[in-house]
Amino acid sequence: MSHEKLTNDFSPVVTSQPGSNPPAPGSTPINGVTVRPLQDTTTDAEFAGRLLVQGFRGKVVYNVTEQKEPIVVKITSATFRGQKQNPAFYQRTLVAELEGVPVGLIQLKFHGDKILNTAEHVMELGCWHAFRLFCLACVTDTNVGKGKCLVDCICVDDSARGRGVGKLLMERAEYEARQRQCHTMYLCVLTTNRARNLYERQGYHVTGTSPICFYCCIGPPGQFYWMEKPLSTDIP
């Protein structure tokens, strides 16, 4: 038997009777890999900022040049600090550790979620590159429907590839979505991105293809797959 309550940001969280709910994937080590929520610390913020920029480096360099990439790392890191008015942010940004060292990150987005952006370090880019970075953020933002969970991004450090980090992060994402009674997971991936293989192994299937062209923000035109995975909201 389970009960539902509301968090401060009105996101439903399911609580179950003691002993009826399985542990969250990654709460105990699996081949040395664990998963935990992001913490509001400088160490976690710097790790998350570096890894996200590394994971989307092509878009970053296209918009602000390689010379200014370190500034984008500082800007991105700053968004992971001080989300005190949005405490659920830290529960929806998950960090994977390999033998205690952070090596992976996944960000989830639910209906009504907001991220409090910061202007810290932005003007170090200069007006033109700051504008381009703003446009990039706009075109990659997505409103999430009720009952759905968006895998906004997932990144694994090169040093930890092949260790099951991405798989465990995806499993933890599904667990968190079920806790909020979501019935669908979904994501968007470039058709040429090899990560599609991971998503298909996890049970995702292509639901559509979008010929998205935001040349000014993300580079030359490309095809993007929308992929979904239905979830059972029954908690064992």
Side-chain angles (χ1 to χ4, degrees):
M1 180 178 180
S2 62
H3 302 280
E4 185 177 289
K5 64 182 181 179
L6 296 178
T7 60
N8 291 335
D9 67 336
F10 306 106
S11 299
V13 175
V14 175
T15 58
S16 302
Q17 296 295 339
S20 65
N21 203 4
S27 57
T28 56
I30 300 177
N31 296 324
V33 182
T34 55
V35 178
R36 61 170 174 81
L38 182 83
Q39 298 175 359
D40 188 6
T41 65
T42 299
T43 299
D44 267 12
E46 290 179 350
F47 160 74
R50 177 187 60 79
L51 190 61
L52 277 183
V53 173
Q54 174 186 308
F56 297 95
R57 187 172 185 273
K59 296 180 179 64
V60 170
V61 172
Y62 184 85
N63 280 277
V64 303
T65 73
E66 185 175 358
Q67 182 181 4
K68 294 185 177 180
E69 182 181 348
I71 301 175
V72 180
V73 173
K74 290 196 298 183
I75 294 169
T76 307
S77 297
T79 65
F80 290 99
R81 293 301 313 271
Q83 298 275 346
K84 294 182 175 60
Q85 297 178 37
N86 185 22
F89 172 84
Y90 295 102
Q91 298 299 316
R92 297 168 191 177
T93 306
L94 304 169
V95 175
E97 295 184 334
L98 178 60
E99 308 295 350
V101 178
V103 292
L105 181 83
I106 191 169
Q107 279 193 294
L108 308 178
K109 192 173 181 182
F110 298 93
H111 178 70
D113 276 357
K114 301 291 183 184
I115 294 179
L116 306 177
N117 292 314
T118 176
E120 192 173 349
H121 305 296
V122 171
M123 294 317 297
E124 294 177 34
L125 291 172
C127 292
W128 173 239
H129 289 134
F131 173 73
R132 287 179 64 87
L133 191 66
F134 170 77
C135 291
L136 176 62
C138 288
V139 301
T140 54
D141 191 23
T142 304
N143 292 319
V144 181
K146 291 183 178 179
K148 293 189 174 185
C149 173
L150 170 67
V151 179
D152 204 15
C153 65
I154 178 171
C155 301
V156 177
D157 191 84
D158 291 342
S159 65
R161 294 191 182 277
R163 301 292 298 271
V165 176
K167 179 178 183 293
L168 190 57
L169 283 170
M170 295 293 286
E171 291 175 353
R172 179 61 172 265
E174 292 176 19
Y175 175 90
E176 297 296 337
R178 286 190 177 97
Q179 296 300 302
R180 293 164 176 81
Q181 295 291 282
C182 291
H183 54 71
T184 304
M185 303 285 298
Y186 75 107
L187 53 84
C188 183
V189 61
L190 195 65
T191 56
T192 56
N193 191 330
R194 289 180 297 176
R196 176 192 170 189
N197 297 326
L198 167 65
Y199 306 145
E200 289 179 333
R201 289 195 298 270
Q202 291 298 114
Y204 286 75
H205 63 278
V206 175
T207 58
T209 304
S210 297
I212 304 175
C213 175
F214 294 112
Y215 188 83
C216 61
C217 297
I218 63 175
Q223 295 283 326
F224 289 80
Y225 286 134
W226 286 103
M227 303 185 73
E228 288 189 359
K229 179 178 180 177
L231 294 178
S232 168
T233 54
D234 294 333
I235 301 176

